[in-house]
Amino acid sequence: RVLVEAKVVSSLRAHEAYRLQLNAQLGAARLEVGYLATVVNNWHFELEEVLFDPALYARQRAAAEEFLRRVREDRPPLPEEYVAPESVDGVLVVPAGSPTAQRLERMAELLRTLEPLEKELSQLREQLKEEMDTAGCMKVRSESVEATLKVSERESLDTKALKAAHPDVVAPFVRVSTVKTLQLKIL
């Protein structure tokens, strides 16, 4: 028994990915020999014998199992720069130009742009609140924007003091949750 994989391609030699695909199929079918039948540009036919490579199949199977594990855990496969990381003092240093490095650089660029704008917006908010307080008004409007000043009170429980005073009462009501926060520092 043999396996035949038929492909229509645009170049004279079948792409290496087809050979890899055929090796995985041979391993799954427990066959030793397969043939890659290639029709090139609808005029040339080529038949290539492919022998099963057990070491390659073991790597293919491990990669497939890792992929499926990540799918089940709803975690995408790691980018290449995370697989063989270069670490300096426990910090992953990604290669320049990699997708992760590009993402980080774009975030830094946006932060540099936003920081002064957020500071100015905060100052303008405070000035407007003071003006509205002084005037005793709760709404002010221009041609394109309306600002409403809302005053509210809220009660909060001093959990730190409560835990210190009555740890036995608080303990059954403590709920632990995991929060992941991404902090960026412009270098």
Side-chain angles (χ1 to χ4, degrees), residues 66-78 180:
E66 172 66 10
F67 177 80
L68 289 173
R69 182 183 67 78
R70 289 185 169 277
V71 167
R72 284 186 210 102
E73 293 174 1
D74 197 24
R75 291 176 46 209
L78 289 172
K180 293 181 182 180

Side-chain angles (χ1 to χ4, degrees), residues 28-29 35 42 52 56 70 89 105 118 157 159-160 169:
Y35 290 92
N42 294 325
F52 176 63
L56 173 61
R70 289 185 169 277
D89 296 328
E105 292 303 321
E118 287 175 341
L157 182 62
T159 55
K160 190 174 181 180
V169 173

Side-chain angles (χ1 to χ4, degrees), residues 79-95:
E80 190 174 302
E81 59 262 29
Y82 284 81
V83 175
E86 178 186 328
S87 182
V88 177
D89 296 328
V91 176
L92 177 68
V93 179
V94 293

Side-chain angles (χ1 to χ4, degrees), residues 117-146:
L117 295 174
E118 287 175 341
K119 185 177 179 181
E120 182 182 358
L121 181 60
S122 179
Q123 290 170 343
L124 292 170
R125 279 182 195 274
E126 291 305 313
Q127 290 171 354
L128 187 57
K129 282 197 277 187
E130 284 179 30
E131 291 171 4
M132 292 172 74
D133 271 345
T134 303
C137 69
M138 301 306 279
K139 278 192 183 189
V140 64
R141 180 184 302 157
S142 72
E143 287 181 27
S144 63
V145 66
E146 179 178 280

Side-chain angles (χ1 to χ4, degrees), residues 50-70:
V50 176
L51 300 177
F52 176 63
D53 181 342
L56 173 61
Y57 180 69
R59 292 193 309 274
Q60 289 175 307
R61 188 176 170 109
E65 287 169 355
E66 172 66 10
F67 177 80
L68 289 173
R69 182 183 67 78
R70 289 185 169 277

